[in-house]
Amino acid sequence: MRSTIVRVSVLVSLVGGTSLALALSEGPVATRTGAWKVQNKAAEPNCTVCHTADLSGVPPGINDPSGMLRILDVPTNYIPGNTYTLRVHIEHTWSPYPPLAPPDDSVRWGFQMQAVQASTGDSAGWWVLGANAPPDTFRIVRTAPTSVYKNRRYIEHTRYMPFTSDPFEIHSANHHGQAGPIEWHVQWHSPPGDSGKIYFFAASNSANGDLASVGSGDFIFTTAESTTAGSNVDVPPHPSPLVLRTALEPPYPNPMVKCTDLSFTIERDGVVDISVFDIQGRKVRAVLHEFRVAGTHASYWDGKGENRARLKDGLYFIRLTDPAGRAVSRKVTLTH
């Protein structure tokens, strides 16, 4: 049976050229789409979690007029259970264009996308990887089982292998060295029945290729639309009550070079503390000490101590203390 979509809502997250040549260049950690609150799922953070102000102190901001993010070929009407090819289209004019420093420093692009059912806040339909041939090479990521977003699935670009003379890499998934506009072709398989309103969410980044997210001058873009299906073939389930449990997800990436993403969940409102300790048990950095509502949130560590100087390479411990005083720790290795 055909269900009618008034409009499909899409928000794509293009993230390339992060601070970590060995890590985030393969795509961001899940839940960085900037999605707004849907049912009992809190609003998601976006890529500014790690893509902070440049050296002049100017933050990357959102949706600078020098660029635009769009989803093309979205059907007005979809047939439940069918697969559709969408084009993710990003335009951004660098002025001036970032200087090139071979073999690796050059503009990069990437993306993350998700589809969300409005009645539940969980994923709607699923992503199909298909032939997965460059430059349309993708992967699907998800969060930890403790996250409020555990029933969401995200599609994003695959990793770019830096420091290579192989000309094939110019066709890699993050379109390394191309000035844009850039497009990817992704396949979305619609739900088996009418699932009501559906959103596609994300946050975007046009990266200057300096291999830095913290203190970089990358540009973040977002966009969103909405859709309503035309019939009620399926009765959308109501979201079940959330059962939150305090947790600190594994730092990503690990080992880290310049930045590692810290996603965490707390089960009740209150002040959250995230601190870094060395192998002698000494506290070397207070990352976060702020009020947060119950749910899943994000922060980051840039590999620096309290004096903002880079710490020695080695093993460190990230400790989360929730509002009830419960503590959870994770290991992370800082390296070049």
Side-chain angles (χ1 to χ4, degrees):
M1 175 176 291
R2 185 180 297 268
S3 299
T4 302
I5 288 188
V6 176
R7 296 176 69 198
V8 172
S9 122
V10 181
L11 173 65
V12 177
S13 165
L14 291 133
V15 179
T18 65
S19 69
L20 310 148
L22 300 178
L24 295 189
S25 57
E26 67 185 63
V29 66
T31 75
R32 294 298 176 266
T33 66
W36 57 67
K37 182 180 185 297
V38 181
Q39 295 296 337
N40 54 13
K41 310 301 187 300
E44 290 186 4
N46 59 46
C47 301
T48 56
V49 168
C50 275
H51 289 265
T52 60
D54 62 21
L55 297 180
S56 69
V58 178
I62 297 290
N63 294 328
D64 187 90
S66 60
M68 177 184 297
L69 178 65
R70 293 183 293 166
I71 299 299
L72 304 177
D73 301 332
V74 174
T76 301
N77 302 291
Y78 76 89
I79 300 173
N82 273 27
T83 300
Y84 297 91
T85 300
L86 309 179
R87 285 185 292 149
V88 178
H89 182 98
I90 177 69
E91 301 177 13
H92 177 226
T93 301
W94 286 89
S95 182
Y97 193 86
L100 305 183
D104 197 53
D105 288 0
S106 184
V107 170
R108 306 173 191 205
W109 319 79
F111 81 96
Q112 184 183 87
M113 189 193 312
Q114 68 163 325
V116 173
Q117 185 171 332
S119 62
T120 65
D122 295 328
S123 283
W126 56 89
W127 300 106
V128 180
L129 295 183
N132 221 22
D136 291 335
T137 53
F138 312 121
R139 66 175 188 168
I140 296 173
V141 295
R142 57 186 297 183
T143 64
T146 55
S147 172
V148 295
Y149 311 116
K150 63 183 179 181
N151 292 324
R152 292 184 179 181
R153 302 294 180 269
Y154 305 79
I155 186 170
E156 62 187 35
H157 69 289
T158 53
R159 175 176 175 175
Y160 164 71
M161 298 299 292
F163 307 115
T164 176
S165 59
D166 186 350
F168 177 76
E169 291 299 347
I170 197 67
H171 303 295
S172 63
N174 67 6
H175 293 261
H176 177 230
Q178 296 183 21
I182 300 297
E183 285 190 355
W184 293 265
H185 301 79
V186 299
Q187 293 185 313
W188 176 69
H189 192 83
S190 59
D194 184 343
S195 295
K197 197 169 190 176
I198 295 175
Y199 303 104
F200 291 75
F201 285 117
S204 74
N205 179 15
S206 171
N208 61 18
D210 64 359
L211 301 183
S213 58
V214 175
S216 182
D218 300 337
F219 287 78
I220 310 296
F221 298 94
T222 63
T223 186
E225 299 180 9
S226 63
T227 183
T228 302
S231 64
N232 278 323
V233 177
D234 288 347
V235 177
H238 292 288
S240 58
L242 285 179
V243 179
L244 299 175
R245 180 165 57 90
T246 292
L248 176 63
E249 295 188 30
Y252 176 83
N254 189 8
M256 62 173 287
V257 179
K258 295 182 180 179
C259 174
T260 191
D261 187 287
L262 305 174
S263 295
F264 61 94
T265 299
I266 55 173
E267 57 190 68
R268 77 181 196 191
D269 300 354
V271 175
V272 179
D273 182 271
I274 299 179
S275 298
V276 182
F277 297 82
D278 62 18
I279 57 175
Q280 283 78 38
R282 297 172 298 194
K283 183 176 178 179
V284 295
R285 178 72 178 276
V287 173
L288 180 72
H289 188 78
E290 295 178 2
F291 178 89
R292 290 288 187 272
V293 298
T296 296
H297 304 273
S299 187
Y300 73 94
W301 179 45
D302 58 7
K304 298 178 181 179
E306 292 293 359
N307 62 358
R308 299 305 186 264
R310 180 181 169 87
L311 296 172
K312 296 187 300 183
D313 288 356
L315 181 66
Y316 292 87
F317 297 88
I318 311 292
R319 179 183 298 169
L320 163 73
T321 304
D322 74 0
R326 288 181 289 267
V328 183
S329 296
R330 292 283 189 178
K331 298 178 183 178
V332 65
T333 299
L334 178 62
T335 186
H336 286 97

